[in-house]
Every structure is written in C-alpha cells, then in structure tokens.
Amino acid sequence: MKTAFEYNVCLPFVKCSGRLTRGEANDDTEGTLLSRVALFAQQHSTTRMPAQALRGSPPLYVRTGTIRRASSCPSSWRKTNYWPHAQRNVRGAKVNTIITPAGGYFTNEEIEQALEKHKPVLFFLTHGESSSGVAHPIDGIGDLCLKHNCLFLVDSVASLGGSPLYMDKQGIDILYTGSQKALNSPPGTAPISFSERACNKMFNRKTKPVSYLLDMSWLANYWGCDGKPTRAYHHTGPVSGFFSLRESLAILAEMGLENSWRRHKEVAEHLHKGLEDLGLKLFVQDKNVRLPTVTTIVVPSGYDWKEIVAYVMKHHQIEISGGLGPSAGMVLRVGLMGCNSTKANADMVLAALGDALKCCHKSKV
Amino acid sequence: MKTAFEYNVCLPFVKCSGRLTRGEANDDTEGTLLSRVALFAQQHSTTRMPAQALRGSPPLYVRTGTIRRASSCPSSWRKTNYWPHAQRNVRGAKVNTIITPAGGYFTNEEIEQALEKHKPVLFFLTHGESSSGVAHPIDGIGDLCLKHNCLFLVDSVASLGGSPLYMDKQGIDILYTGSQKALNSPPGTAPISFSERACNKMFNRKTKPVSYLLDMSWLANYWGCDGKPTRAYHHTGPVSGFFSLRESLAILAEMGLENSWRRHKEVAEHLHKGLEDLGLKLFVQDKNVRLPTVTTIVVPSGYDWKEIVAYVMKHHQIEISGGLGPSAGMVLRVGLMGCNSTKANADMVLAALGDALKCCHKSKV
C-alpha cells in the first residue's frame, strides 16, 4: 500500500503521519486525569485556529461524523447536493430544500430569495461538497442569514484545514468538521463550534432535543464549555482519538494554516493539469470553486467507472472512488488531503489513471 | 504513572497493553478497504466469544458508550442503581422503575412481580453495576422475560470479559458493552448484539427511531449484518478503534475467556482480603455478587473520601474514585480490569490505601 486516499465515502480512511500514530500510542501521557484535562484546555485553544475563529464557544468534541450532522434544530433549511440530503434524516425537522445541479453552486441572490421565501431558523451549507468536488463560496452568506434572523450552519468535513474558511469573518454560527479528512487524524472525533448567537438559541430552546445524545447544553457542560464549575457525566469520550486530534492540530499549527491551504491548492492544480493532459475532463467547470481536497473527474466516455476503480486498486494499490448521491455514475473521485496532499501522490494517481485508460475496456459505442 | 485504573467514571480510561497500542498504530494494515472488510468479518466471529453467544445477529459496532445506552424502545422498564438511572434519559420512552438499595440486587421473584405489574416491552438490567460494585445475578431472568413477552436487555459495560455471562444460555436479547473496560481497548467502540427475538422486534417496528443515529435497521445494513447484498452509508466508523478492539479480542481469545474470568475473580478476592486486613469494609456484603472488576469500599469512618482519593493520586500516582449516583459519598471505588487485573496492581492499591489511612486527616467525632 503506497498511500491511502479518501476513497469510497462508504469507507473513508486517511493514512496518518507516523508522528500521529506514535502520538496515539503514547502510554506515558495517556493515562492520567490531569493530563487529559490539560489536553482539553490545549485543544480548546488550538482548535479555534483552523477556522480562524476567535469569538464564541470553544469547540465541543462530539465524537462522530454522524452525531455532528444531527444536532437537531426546530426547523431547518438546506441546499442539496449529497451531504444536505443526508441531513434530511434529522427526524422531526421541517426541511425545505433548493436544488442546484451537481458540480454547481448557489449565488447569494438565489440564497437570499430562498431565505425570504422559507424564513428558516437555520441555513445549512456544505462548504466542501465531496460528492461533487465543489468548495461552495461562503462570503456574504453569513450577513444574509443575520439579516434574515436565521443561523448559518456550515459542514466543513471535507475542507477544514485544506481550504480557506473564516468562522468569524464569514459569520458562520455553527461549524463542524471531522478528524479524518484534511486534519489528518483517524476518524472518530468531530470538532464543532458555536457562535454566541447559536449558543443563545440552543441554551434557551423550549423543547428538549430528540435524544440526550444531541443535548448540546449537557455536552457543553460535560466538556466544560459552559463556564459552570461542576461537570456532569454524559458519555465516555474516545481519549486516544482526542490525543490524535491534538497532535494533528499541532502539526497543522507548525506548518501554518495558510501554508496548508496553499499546498492543497498547488497540489490540486497540479493534479488537475495532469488529468487534462491525460485527456480527462474535470467535473467542476468553474476553476474558482474546485475543492482542493477532493477532485471529481467526468467518467471518460466508453469506460465503466467501476472497472477503472477496481483496476487502479488492483494494479496500483490506490483507492479512488465513484460518485455519491447526485454524482453517482457520473464521476471518479480522488481525495488528496492532509499529509496525502503532495505532488508525488498526485503523480502516482496520474500514472495509475493513465495506465487504467490504456488497459481498461473501452466501448466503441 | 504506574498504572491506570477505572477511576472517576466521568473520565474513565484504561491502560492498554503495549501490543494493543502497537496494533492501533499499524500503518501497514490500516489503509485498505479490503483489509477493513476482512477485519469486520473477523470481528463478527471473534466478538461473539466474550458473551458465549452462538445464535442471533453478529455484533453491531456502535461507536460510543452513550449511543449504546440509548437504543430507543417504545416503552421500557428498568431497575435502578446508577446506570439504569442514566437510561431514563432515553427520551420519549415510558419508564417504570423498581428500586433496591445500592449494593443490593433483585431476586427473581421481585423481578417477576414487577413484570406482571408493569407489563413492559423491555426489561433493562445492568450486569456489572459499577456504581455499587454489584455483579447482578442473571440466571432465570431471561426465561421470565420470555414468559412475559418482553425483551431482556443487559448492560455489560463493566463486566464483559471479566465476569461470567452467557448471552444464549441466559436468554439475553440485547447485550452491549464498551471497549474500554475489561476488554482493555481504548474507549470509542461499543459492541452490541441482538437475539433473533430482538431483531424481529426492531426490524418490524412501526414507528421510526427518534434519531437516525439509533436506527438499528440502517446500522445493521451499514455493518452488513442484515444479509442484504448492498450496504448504505450511515456514518464514518472509527477505524483505529475497530483495529484496537480486534486486537483486544484476540488477546482475550488467546488467554481463554474462562481464564480471564478466573483471574479477575482471584485478583478481586486478593484485593478484598487485603482491604479487610487494613480494617476497611466492603460495600457489597454478599460475597457472591461482588463485581470482580470494580470494588466498592465503605468510606472509613472519620475520613473524607475526597482527601483519600487526592492523596492516593498525589503520592502514589494511582487513580481511584468516589461513589456515583446512589453510592456518592458512601464509597471508594477501585477498578482492576483487563490487563490491569493483576495481584501486583492490587498490592499497589493496598499499599497506597494503607498509607492514606495513616496520613489523611481522621476526625475524632
């Protein structure tokens, strides 16, 4: 196995740096209550960094990608590509949807029209839409949400650390991500952060959340994020995962966030040029909204995408994947993020795809 | 730090064996989709072992201690000590409760009377009640539940692998545990297993679960436990945690389950004798129901339990804890489980407590 990319979204996994796996296996520091408390304090200050957030609550560490996507809201409204579709499974919520073709994005005018029409309490947007390969523009939407008195929730799972995002400056009220993408840590933890406006909304809600798992008041108290002197047990946290996340954030801090964004962009552009040199077409036509962590490639005419994916896995030990949701059957997807975002890895993918185009069956119809 | 015990339940953590942490950091095997699928298959066969279950569904891997305790049921009925109390936070469920003093247990006659009175659809029992130090007797309850047409749900978080439990033979319909106790793996995964009767109930329910996080039909499909050829994405699993759990189960299998039970019992009895030699009283009077993984000690007269806990931490680098829920303020708790269950560790705890009794302040009132 030369490297591991974000492959099938059914089974995502990233190769972790050696430093990270050593960090996770560190017996000397893992065991004590005192060090764990210190870890939390450190994380609370370090994790603000990737999203450039200065105000609001420190991040809460919800444990999984699933939970982070299911914080219940009395009523919500979302755009679709794939991930908002997944969000519709938040049960009991009244959800209104606007749709744009996969690979595209909404203008701020379209968003404001929808806010006026539906009057939602929450607007959900996926920043790094990994199903289509779009990094959705964020500027100005926070102001629109503030104007229309709704909260702005951003899913940055596939983008945080790999693509510019400014929680405060862009007026994001709720921001979450996953440990396992550009942050480069094993899956199992998911930082989430709330603005003061979001905290006011949550902590003053009149109905109980559908499950105490998603009771952010309780979680905030458990994590010591609510300023109260005593903390109530809520769940047993995945301690090793927290240490990994701390280490992954320390690596990112050492590298510099802007340097990480720049490297992801350069590697993605290198990959994109190489793909076009192979005669392949990129799925996202507008260069300015191409997600630097996940690249979507139009399935080349005459080929079976499944055969290409299987060929690349078998002969090059590289995992790429097909589409997901609205892009299923239409694209091949290549994830290069975190420590996997290097030109050398991009070149390996290009060589593998070039080989696949020669060796896989091509229909003449 | 000499060793880490199950200390404050707010912040539980176990010291993992070196083999386990190496297992978790194994870059060579972690990355590929193929090996992960193989891992699942292997886990499904291995994890039946600790509870001696042969029939029913293979275990589903729910990720956290919290989720595993919140599988929603239309209506449920539970005994109390602490953990059933925590269960009451399953929202929307109609819950009836019977109470026994902390440190005690229910006879099967008392249980049958309650089943007749309340006619529940589910009976919840904590096998290893870590708040009081009781291993609740299980024999015969499964038959009573079957007779009264209710499911039998057992929480074995603090007991599985350290104390005898037979899912099939004892008629348990739903059994869950945590990775971080006697199984000796980091926290973050929680195997759960269902009998055929439980599967029939779940898969034929007419109402939707309160959250898709707890939709066991979807989870069963995601894990490939429902026999269907295709699997739908539900969440991103904590892959490193699964590898740790596999390794911890392999260690247990090598040792032999009965040998593990025997060792936990011998170490607990060694600890209990030593505590009595120090003049301390055990909280659970009936020797036959003492939990071999967590020992509860009556707070010695004239002492402040918080001072003892702090002294042992500061001077011996050992973490013990006070009581929880109904035992709060009444007991000291010592956890010795998994690889921490050794006579050498018990002797360290005894030396530390002996020292604390000499050096901590003792009121003469």
Side-chain angles (χ1 to χ4, degrees), chain A residues 33 63-64 66 213 235 319, chain B residues 33 63-64 66 213 235 319:
Chain A
L33 180 148
R63 279 146 308 134
T64 70
T66 311
L213 300 179
H235 66 272
E319 288 183 289
Chain B
L33 181 147
R63 281 146 307 137
T64 71
T66 311
L213 300 179
H235 65 274
E319 288 182 290

Side-chain angles (χ1 to χ4, degrees), chain A residues 1 4 7-18 21-22 24-28 30-34 36-37 40 63-70 82-83 86-87 89-92 180-181 186-188 208-215 218 222 231-241 313 319 324, chain B residues 1 4 7-18 21-22 24-28 30-34 36-37 40 63-70 82-83 86-87 89-92 180-181 186-188 208-215 218 222 231-241 313 319 324:
Chain A
M1 186 82 188
Y7 43 88
N8 192 324
V9 176
C10 257
L11 295 168
F13 195 71
V14 291
K15 184 183 178 194
C16 302
S17 76
T21 47
R22 285 193 302 277
E24 184 155 40
N26 189 344
D27 258 348
D28 299 332
E30 276 184 343
T32 74
L33 180 148
L34 296 176
R36 187 161 171 226
V37 171
F40 288 162
R63 279 146 308 134
T64 70
T66 311
I67 288 187
R68 73 179 176 246
R69 278 199 289 273
Y82 180 76
W83 293 112
Q87 296 290 344
N89 288 296
V90 179
R91 288 169 187 169
Q180 77 278 13
K181 304 283 188 182
K208 276 196 166 184
V210 292
S211 165
Y212 86 102
L213 300 179
L214 306 173
D215 186 332
W218 195 346
Y222 171 63
R231 293 163 62 179
Y233 175 82
H234 181 277
H235 66 272
T236 300
V239 184
S240 304
M313 176 64 156
E319 288 183 289
L324 180 72
Chain B
M1 186 81 188
Y7 42 89
N8 192 322
V9 178
C10 258
L11 295 167
F13 194 71
V14 292
K15 183 183 178 192
C16 301
S17 77
T21 47
R22 286 192 303 277
E24 184 156 37
N26 190 343
D27 258 350
D28 298 332
E30 278 184 343
T32 73
L33 181 147
L34 296 175
R36 187 160 171 227
V37 171
F40 287 162
R63 281 146 307 137
T64 71
T66 311
I67 288 188
R68 72 178 177 249
R69 278 197 289 275
Y82 179 76
W83 293 113
Q87 295 291 341
N89 289 297
V90 178
R91 289 170 187 168
Q180 77 278 15
K181 304 283 187 181
K208 275 196 167 184
V210 292
S211 165
Y212 86 101
L213 300 179
L214 307 172
D215 186 331
W218 195 345
Y222 172 62
R231 293 162 64 179
Y233 174 81
H234 181 276
H235 65 274
T236 300
V239 184
S240 303
M313 176 63 157
E319 288 182 290
L324 181 72

Side-chain angles (χ1 to χ4, degrees), chain A residues 58-328:
Chain A
L60 294 168
Y61 290 86
V62 181
R63 279 146 308 134
T64 70
T66 311
I67 288 187
R68 73 179 176 246
R69 278 199 289 273
S71 321
S72 68
C73 301
S75 147
S76 53
W77 177 85
R78 304 109 190 253
K79 78 173 256 296
T80 54
N81 273 328
Y82 180 76
W83 293 112
H85 175 74
Q87 296 290 344
R88 300 198 63 169
N89 288 296
V90 179
R91 288 169 187 169
K94 184 185 163 194
V95 179
N96 294 297
T97 304
I98 53 170
I99 296 173
T100 191
Y105 62 95
F106 294 101
T107 63
N108 286 6
E109 289 68 32
E110 288 169 325
I111 289 171
E112 182 156 32
Q113 281 168 18
L115 293 176
E116 281 168 354
K117 181 178 173 192
H118 296 293
K119 300 185 175 32
V121 298
L122 183 137
F123 175 63
F124 175 97
L125 185 73
T126 302
H127 179 225
E129 178 55 61
S130 59
S131 73
S132 64
V134 168
H136 199 287
I138 301 288
D139 282 344
I141 302 175
D143 289 340
L144 292 177
C145 288
L146 188 63
K147 178 179 163 191
H148 291 276
N149 196 29
C150 84
L151 295 175
F152 185 27
L153 166 59
V154 173
D155 171 335
S156 66
V157 172
S159 61
L160 198 80
S163 184
L165 198 61
Y166 300 86
M167 186 172 181
D168 285 352
K169 208 195 293 182
Q170 293 176 321
I172 298 168
D173 291 302
I174 307 169
L175 181 71
Y176 64 72
T177 191
S179 52
Q180 77 278 13
K181 304 283 188 182
L183 296 188
N184 214 30
S185 194
T189 57
I192 185 167
S193 191
F194 300 89
S195 70
E196 276 182 39
R197 216 159 66 94
C199 288
N200 287 339
K201 182 90 183 170
M202 283 193 306
F203 297 154
N204 293 302
R205 62 181 289 167
K206 300 211 168 49
T207 55
K208 276 196 166 184
V210 292
S211 165
Y212 86 102
L213 300 179
L214 306 173
D215 186 332
M216 288 298 164
S217 299
W218 195 346
L219 283 165
N221 177 260
Y222 171 63
W223 287 119
C225 294
D226 62 357
K228 293 184 182 163
T230 57
R231 293 163 62 179
Y233 175 82
H234 181 277
H235 66 272
T236 300
V239 184
S240 304
F242 293 140
F243 276 86
S244 296
L245 184 59
R246 178 180 65 167
E247 186 67 5
S248 70
L249 293 171
I251 291 169
L252 189 55
E254 276 175 22
M255 178 192 295
L257 187 55
E258 289 79 4
N259 290 332
S260 175
W261 293 341
R262 189 181 310 117
R263 197 196 63 207
H264 279 81
K265 186 168 189 285
E266 286 170 2
V267 169
E269 286 173 354
H270 177 77
L271 176 67
H272 297 169
K273 184 179 178 306
L275 291 167
E276 287 171 339
D277 289 347
L278 285 173
L280 292 165
K281 271 191 219 162
L282 291 170
F283 185 65
V284 180
Q285 292 175 3
D286 183 345
K287 281 186 183 182
N288 295 317
V289 299
R290 285 180 187 158
L291 184 59
T293 51
V294 179
T295 295
T296 43
I297 306 158
V298 176
V299 176
S301 179
Y303 288 91
D304 175 358
W305 69 268
K306 286 182 189 166
E307 191 188 351
I308 295 177
V309 167
Y311 183 89
V312 165
M313 176 64 156
K314 182 173 178 187
H315 296 279
H316 295 266
Q317 294 79 52
I318 290 173
E319 288 183 289
I320 62 171
S321 75
L324 180 72
S327 68

Side-chain angles (χ1 to χ4, degrees), chain B residues 314-343:
Chain B
K314 182 173 178 187
H315 296 279
H316 295 267
Q317 295 78 52
I318 290 173
E319 288 182 290
I320 62 173
S321 75
L324 181 72
S327 69
M330 300 165 72
V331 300
L332 296 167
R333 298 188 300 148
V334 175
L336 288 176
M337 57 190 86
C339 72
N340 288 321
S341 167
T342 65
K343 287 187 181 173

